[in-house]
Amino acid sequence: MSKFPKDFLWGGATAANQYEGGFAEGGKGINTSDVLTAGSHTTPRRISWKNPETGETGYTGMGFGAEMKFPEGSIPAILEGEYYPSHVATDFYHHFREDIALMGEMGFKTFRLSMNWARIFPNGDDAEPCEAGLAFYDEVFDECKKYGIEPLVTLSHYETPLNLTIRYGGWKNRACIAFFEKYAKTVFRRYLGKVKYYLTFNEINCMEWATFMAGGMMENTPQSRAQGAHNQFVASALAVKAAHELNAESGSDIMVGQMLAYQPMYAYTCDPADQLLIMQNSHGGLFYSDVQTGGHYPAYRLKQYEREGVVLDDTPEDYELLEKYSADFLSFSCYGSSVFTTHMDEVEGGGGNLIMGIKNPYLQTNAWGWATDPACLRIALNTLYDRYHKPLWIVENGIGWDDKKEEDGSVHDSYRIDYLRANIASMRDAINLDGVDLMGYTMWGCIDLVSAGTGEMKKRYGFVYVDRDDQGNGTLARSRKDSFYWYKKVIASDGEDLS
């Protein structure tokens, strides 16, 4: 009972905007991530903008508590002399053969990556796709096949072609539904037989906090958040529909899943007010899976829209699509748990990832406020499986740390091994003790990449160290960390050997 299923999909995960690079190569267009500056755990990332009429330039916040406000007449733009981490990132574009070979050496069964939408449709609304972009991913998937690695492809991971933002206002505009459907159909047909598993929008519930990153929108209001989410729900359902129709036509077995940012939430006290706060905060994320995986809008969100005066631009057919073509499986990120309270005068403040909370006094944290919770994955898996009764997939889980490379080239990241050991044991218990249907596990940032939240390199996640710093300096050489060899052993033993 200590092993994982034989067909369990072990692997790692990355995102094009944090890893791929190749910014101005292969016909790629500009996307929203390409105008995000670097930052740090104390300095937020920003969106750069320019007024085409006056030539004035400047910056605005990108969400996560930093206000996003574009001056009248300005548009997101790349500014000369500014450093944008996504432009090179850690250069998978030129290192994909080397990186996939390293994944093969670890024994990966799957590799989660995102396709760069603007590499396929540079402007998002192009009549025809870019052949050079399609050919690049052909090479990537062929390389995966060489090592027996099944790709798990995210179609939109925190990036929207910038033209869709400037010309259409991003995902608040229903026009984006058809653009995304065309993109999904193009990709499904092109890689038929090469890619079986797809996700539509990464951490779709990030729309709650960062509409520019999640939806390519230059505003963050209750109305824009609601409409952006609705349009992505419909686009996702249409992607599921297209995949199912292609399966019926070709005999393929493509599956299209949802991707949710999720973490268990704990009340700091037994005060009923704290319990209500947890319920309300949980609704903020579960709404997205209630629609995309569950198939319909929950009453609690409709009541919220009434209070906020939100009126959706929708059609009756939208809701038929959502019910008939819900996600085939639910994937999610989970880095730890969070704690909330109404008694803020009694606690230390915060830390965590997208959903911020206060410090948990029972857990130890790292420099970025991330805590290792040995039970969080088991709790998360049971909560989601009990709610939706669909297969699950943990597609992000890991810990960022300022890893140090020794003179001999080694990187001793015992803290990462300790974190992963606790988390893998937690999900193993969910499978063996609770009967959860878990498809796979892709540890986040398997090759070092740029942090999405802070835009820095020193917040490293990978099994493989990449020689690059926060200012974009370095050789990009790859080095195996201690965790590389540990994870290789875990996979070889089907998760039995966590020593």
Side-chain angles (χ1 to χ4, degrees):
M1 295 294 287
S2 62
K3 289 190 177 183
F4 284 75
K6 283 291 184 184
D7 59 352
F8 191 77
L9 292 167
W10 294 99
T14 62
N17 72 91
Q18 298 165 254
Y19 177 52
E20 186 177 278
F23 161 70
E25 300 183 58
K28 176 191 165 299
I30 299 173
N31 57 46
T32 50
S33 66
D34 291 329
V35 297
L36 294 181
T37 68
S40 70
H41 69 287
T42 57
T43 305
R45 299 186 77 178
R46 299 180 298 172
I47 306 164
S48 55
W49 54 261
K50 183 175 184 177
N51 186 313
E53 297 294 326
T54 66
E56 182 185 6
T57 62
Y59 302 87
T60 185
M62 57 173 279
F64 302 109
E67 183 181 9
M68 180 176 64
K69 187 174 182 180
F70 289 91
E72 186 175 353
S74 68
I75 58 174
I78 295 170
L79 305 183
E80 187 175 350
E82 179 60 77
Y83 173 55
Y84 299 95
S86 70
H87 293 194
V88 175
T90 48
D91 201 25
F92 177 70
Y93 192 77
H94 295 106
H95 291 79
F96 70 89
R97 290 185 175 85
E98 177 185 1
D99 287 356
I100 293 170
L102 287 164
M103 297 173 198
E105 184 182 338
M106 276 186 281
F108 277 24
K109 311 299 182 186
T110 189
F111 169 38
R112 181 194 172 207
L113 70 158
S114 70
M115 298 183 69
N116 197 321
W117 186 354
R119 197 175 290 287
I120 307 301
F121 288 95
N123 299 294
D125 60 355
D126 309 82
E128 299 295 332
C130 173
E131 175 57 30
L134 291 168
F136 168 70
Y137 292 112
D138 266 320
E139 290 190 72
V140 169
F141 300 143
D142 289 345
E143 202 69 18
C144 287
K145 185 177 181 180
K146 184 190 300 185
Y147 295 94
I149 297 172
E150 188 81 53
L152 168 60
V153 173
T154 312
L155 294 173
S156 180
H157 191 133
Y158 290 163
E159 55 190 353
T160 303
L162 193 61
N163 175 63
L164 298 186
T165 294
I166 295 169
R167 185 174 179 185
Y168 301 92
W171 273 100
K172 70 178 183 179
N173 192 324
R174 285 186 66 97
C176 288
I177 297 173
F179 299 143
F180 185 84
E181 182 185 15
K182 181 177 181 178
Y183 166 48
K185 286 181 173 179
T186 299
V187 167
F188 293 164
R189 286 197 173 274
R190 175 67 176 232
Y191 306 115
L192 189 63
K194 292 186 179 183
V195 180
K196 176 179 178 180
Y197 301 111
Y198 288 94
L199 308 175
T200 50
F201 298 95
N202 179 72
E203 294 184 329
I204 188 170
N205 51 316
C206 185
M207 190 73 75
E208 294 284 301
W209 311 284
T211 53
F212 183 80
M213 195 162 75
M217 296 187 289
M218 295 170 61
E219 58 190 82
N220 188 347
T221 65
Q223 179 66 42
S224 63
R225 290 194 297 271
Q227 191 64 55
H230 181 80
N231 292 342
Q232 288 190 349
F233 291 146
V234 176
S236 291
L238 287 168
V240 174
K241 180 175 184 286
H244 288 188
E245 290 173 349
L246 185 56
N247 288 343
E249 172 192 327
S250 65
S252 57
D253 56 355
I254 298 170
M255 297 178 70
V256 180
Q258 179 184 1
M259 202 301 203
L260 180 75
Y262 185 77
Q263 53 187 330
M265 296 184 186
Y266 306 148
Y268 186 71
T269 76
C270 55
D271 182 344
D274 276 7
Q275 312 310 310
L276 282 171
L277 179 63
I278 293 301
M279 182 188 76
Q280 292 161 353
N281 286 354
S282 296
H283 281 168
L286 291 172
F287 154 64
Y288 289 83
S289 46
D290 283 350
V291 178
Q292 195 176 346
T293 300
H296 20 326
Y297 272 73
Y300 62 80
R301 182 50 67 111
L302 296 178
K303 282 294 184 182
Q304 177 183 325
Y305 286 171
E306 283 183 21
R307 294 191 297 271
E308 294 175 339
V310 168
V311 178
L312 292 175
D313 178 8
D314 57 6
T315 70
E317 291 76 22
D318 290 350
Y319 299 97
E320 294 172 11
L321 282 167
L322 295 177
E323 184 173 5
K324 188 174 182 180
Y325 297 106
S326 60
D328 294 323
F329 61 93
L330 174 59
S331 75
F332 65 100
S333 62
C334 184
Y335 293 90
S337 55
S338 56
V339 180
F340 293 94
T341 186
T342 58
H343 300 270
M344 289 303 294
D345 57 330
E346 301 176 13
V347 299
E348 292 183 61
N353 190 10
L354 298 183
I355 307 170
M356 303 300 284
I358 63 173
K359 185 175 181 180
N360 188 326
Y362 297 97
L363 301 177
Q364 292 190 344
T365 60
N366 70 355
W368 288 270
W370 291 44
T372 299
D373 181 345
C376 71
L377 289 188
R378 185 178 180 186
I379 294 170
L381 287 164
N382 273 275
T383 300
L384 296 172
Y385 194 58
D386 289 349
R387 194 176 185 100
Y388 303 112
H389 307 289
K390 285 192 175 182
L392 303 176
W393 196 331
I394 299 170
V395 294
E396 289 187 29
N397 171 255
I399 191 163
W401 212 282
D402 188 6
D403 299 333
K404 301 300 182 185
K405 188 176 179 181
E406 305 296 335
E407 290 187 8
D408 63 359
S410 61
V411 179
H412 303 305
D413 56 342
S414 59
Y415 38 82
R416 182 166 293 110
I417 293 171
D418 291 341
Y419 171 92
L420 294 174
R421 180 184 293 115
N423 280 270
I424 292 173
S426 186
M427 67 182 183
R428 185 176 64 190
D429 287 345
I431 295 170
N432 291 323
L433 301 180
D434 307 321
V436 170
D437 182 1
L438 182 60
M439 298 170 67
Y441 172 80
T442 54
M443 176 267 198
W444 175 248
C446 50
I447 313 287
D448 280 351
L449 39 63
V450 174
S451 168
T454 65
E456 60 187 333
M457 270 301 306
K458 71 176 182 180
K459 185 183 180 186
R460 298 174 181 272
Y461 294 85
F463 299 121
V464 175
Y465 184 96
V466 178
D467 181 26
R468 191 162 177 82
D469 66 18
D470 290 346
Q471 290 73 45
N473 304 308
T475 66
L476 295 167
R478 273 62 170 155
S479 306
R480 298 164 183 80
K481 303 178 188 179
D482 288 354
S483 59
F484 178 101
Y485 303 102
W486 180 85
Y487 195 55
K488 178 178 180 179
K489 179 181 63 174
V490 170
I491 296 174
S493 67
D494 293 325
E496 183 175 15
D497 187 355
L498 300 181
S499 61

